[in-house]
């Protein structure tokens, strides 16, 4: 079975998916999610306004909306990249349909990716039209992570399509680690979408020397108020504090699960390197999380924390693949 062409396209899509996720994080951190108040264009055009005449026209046509050309371009570049990724996934689906009669070709996964990226486009639209509604923003992040993970899984299946399946010992630990990390990144997205990163100012407790009220019910309520602009956050301080403290507890769960998966992988030479890199990334990520609290979530550090989360996911998926390729029962 010739899988060279779809494999190259899949690798390109993986790289682009990583860039789209990182760009999406930067867009969110820079408060540029509503840099373009309409969709799919920007102030009625397919490019963000840059000249004085275009800015004046945008202000006239969208009264009451701030026109920030820098934020508009940031949002549009993110959309251009996401659209290109969608085209690559569409191409993979077309190739899969052409090869649907070839035994072992991952047709179902390729078509699932196409459905997933279409859903991502819809969530991208809702992110703007529903004015950064937190459940939509978090769902959009989850879709991006799933897209990246499914692309990596597709690449693995394309590489190993001619090889027999293996029954892996300890595979459930690796899968649990991936699931826990997914949930923690999603929780981080919920923290960011609700602007809860600033809710607690002490690295261990929430507010040093004070008893902090935590409103978990409001903090994790899936409110769908579509008439309100959610930029800047709408939750009370106790609700945001509850989100922030839950994210910290999640970090402890991730740490324990990652060390369990890494310790298991250290037993095998093929997965030892990714396990050591995973440990290093995990320690750095924990320190960056604490530094964000201490220094008040500066933009550059918040984005590096986002980069660290994506790096952890990539490393864990690499570790999982290397471990499963070496450890199995014959």
């Amino acid at each position: 079975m010739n899988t060279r062409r779809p494999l190259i396209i899949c690798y390109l899509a993986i790289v682009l998916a990583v860039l789209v996720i990182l760009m999406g994080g930067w867009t969110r951190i820079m408060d540029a999610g509503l840099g373009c108040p309409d969709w799919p264009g920007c102030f009625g055009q397919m490019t963000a306004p840059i000249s004085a005449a275009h800015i004046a026209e945008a202000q006239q046509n969208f009264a009451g909306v701030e026109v920030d050309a820098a934020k508009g371009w940031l949002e549009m570049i993110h959309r251009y990249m996401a659209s290109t990724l969608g085209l690559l996934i569409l191409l993979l689906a077309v190739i899969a349909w052409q090869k649907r009669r070839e035994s072992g070709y991952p047709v179902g996964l390729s078509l699932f990716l196409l459905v997933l990226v279409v859903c991502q486009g819809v969530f991208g639209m809702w992110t703007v039209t529903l004015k950064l509604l937190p459940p939509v923003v978090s769902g959009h992040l989850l879709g991006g992570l799933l897209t990246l993970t499914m692309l990596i899984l597709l690449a693995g299946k394309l590489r190993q399509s001619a090889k027999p399946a293996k029954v892996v010992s300890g595979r459930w630990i690796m899968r649990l680690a991936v699931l826990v990390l997914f949930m923690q990144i999603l929780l981080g997205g919920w923290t960011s979408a609700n602007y809860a990163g600033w809710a607690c100012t002490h690295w261990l407790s929430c507010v040093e020397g004070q008893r902090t009220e935590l409103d978990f019910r409001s903090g994790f309520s899936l409110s769908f108020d579509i008439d309100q602009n959610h930029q800047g956050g709408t939750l009370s301080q106790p609700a945001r504090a509850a989100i922030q403290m839950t994210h910290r507890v999640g970090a402890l769960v991730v740490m324990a699960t990652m060390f369990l998966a890494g310790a298991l992988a250290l037993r095998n030479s093929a997965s030892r390197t990714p396990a050591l890199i995973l440990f290093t990334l995990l320690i750095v990520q924990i320190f960056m999380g604490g530094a964000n609290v201490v220094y008040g979530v500066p933009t550059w550090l918040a984005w590096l924390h986002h980069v660290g989360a994506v790096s952890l996911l990539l490393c864990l998926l690499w570790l999982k693949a290397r471990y499963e390729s070496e450890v199995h029962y014959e």
Side-chain angles (χ1 to χ4, degrees), residues 8 11-12 20 23 72 110 181 212 232 323-324:
I8 291 174
Y11 285 146
L12 290 174
V20 168
M23 188 68 175
S110 301
L181 183 57
T212 305
Y323 176 80
E324 293 182 356

Side-chain angles (χ1 to χ4, degrees), residues 7 10-11 14 151-161:
L7 193 54
C10 193
Y11 285 146
I14 289 171
L151 281 168
I152 293 174
L153 180 60
L154 177 61
K157 287 185 175 298
L158 289 172
R159 287 195 307 268
Q160 301 173 4
S161 58

Side-chain angles (χ1 to χ4, degrees), residues 180-241:
V180 168
L181 183 57
F182 250 86
M183 296 302 296
Q184 177 66 358
I185 295 176
L186 184 60
L187 185 54
W190 186 253
T191 304
S192 178
N194 285 283
Y195 296 82
W198 297 268
C200 298
T201 56
H202 190 255
W203 68 277
L204 184 58
S205 62
C206 187
V207 180
E208 187 175 11
Q210 296 182 20
R211 181 180 179 276
T212 305
E213 181 183 354
L214 303 178
D215 184 358
F216 292 97
R217 175 174 294 182
S218 298
F220 293 95
S221 173
L222 296 179
S223 172
F224 289 94
D225 184 356
I226 63 176
D227 297 321
Q228 189 170 8
N229 189 327
H230 296 271
Q231 185 163 316
T234 61
L235 295 180
S236 65
Q237 167 63 17
R240 297 189 200 201

Side-chain angles (χ1 to χ4, degrees), residues 97-264:
W97 185 254
Q98 293 172 343
K99 294 178 175 289
R100 63 188 183 278
R101 292 184 176 85
E102 294 186 12
S103 177
Y105 193 90
V107 178
L109 182 55
S110 301
L111 296 179
F112 173 75
L113 265 166
L114 180 60
V115 173
L116 183 59
V117 81
V118 170
C119 292
Q120 270 296 87
V122 173
F123 269 86
M125 176 187 68
W126 286 344
T127 298
V128 176
T129 59
L130 298 182
K131 302 175 184 178
L132 304 182
L133 187 67
V136 172
V137 174
S138 301
H140 195 43
L141 172 62
L142 177 61
L145 297 174
L146 281 174
T147 300
L148 174 60
T149 303
M150 293 300 103
L151 281 168
I152 293 174
L153 180 60
L154 177 61
K157 287 185 175 298
L158 289 172
R159 287 195 307 268
Q160 301 173 4
S161 58
K163 298 179 182 179
K166 297 175 180 179
V167 179
V168 182
S169 172
R171 181 171 57 183
W172 69 271
I173 297 178
M174 297 297 170
R175 290 183 172 181
L176 176 63
V178 172
L179 177 61
V180 168
L181 183 57
F182 250 86
M183 296 302 296
Q184 177 66 358
I185 295 176
L186 184 60
L187 185 54
W190 186 253
T191 304
S192 178
N194 285 283
Y195 296 82
W198 297 268
C200 298
T201 56
H202 190 255
W203 68 277
L204 184 58
S205 62
C206 187
V207 180
E208 187 175 11
Q210 296 182 20
R211 181 180 179 276
T212 305
E213 181 183 354
L214 303 178
D215 184 358
F216 292 97
R217 175 174 294 182
S218 298
F220 293 95
S221 173
L222 296 179
S223 172
F224 289 94
D225 184 356
I226 63 176
D227 297 321
Q228 189 170 8
N229 189 327
H230 296 271
Q231 185 163 316
T234 61
L235 295 180
S236 65
Q237 167 63 17
R240 297 189 200 201
I243 296 172
Q244 173 63 237
M245 295 307 290
T246 303
H247 186 52
R248 295 186 190 182
V249 172
L252 296 177
V253 176
V254 167
M255 183 168 61
T257 312
M258 294 299 105
F259 272 107
L260 180 62
L264 181 66

Side-chain angles (χ1 to χ4, degrees), residues 60-118:
Q60 182 178 359
N61 295 335
F62 292 82
V65 177
E66 178 189 3
V67 180
D68 188 320
K71 290 184 178 180
W73 273 108
L74 190 59
E75 171 64 11
M76 287 308 295
I77 291 172
H78 177 57
R79 294 184 193 179
Y80 296 149
M81 294 170 65
S83 299
T84 304
L85 175 61
L87 289 176
L88 290 177
I89 291 176
L90 174 60
L91 185 55
L92 286 171
V94 170
I95 294 173
W97 185 254
Q98 293 172 343
K99 294 178 175 289
R100 63 188 183 278
R101 292 184 176 85
E102 294 186 12
S103 177
Y105 193 90
V107 178
L109 182 55
S110 301
L111 296 179
F112 173 75
L113 265 166
L114 180 60
V115 173
L116 183 59
V117 81
V118 170

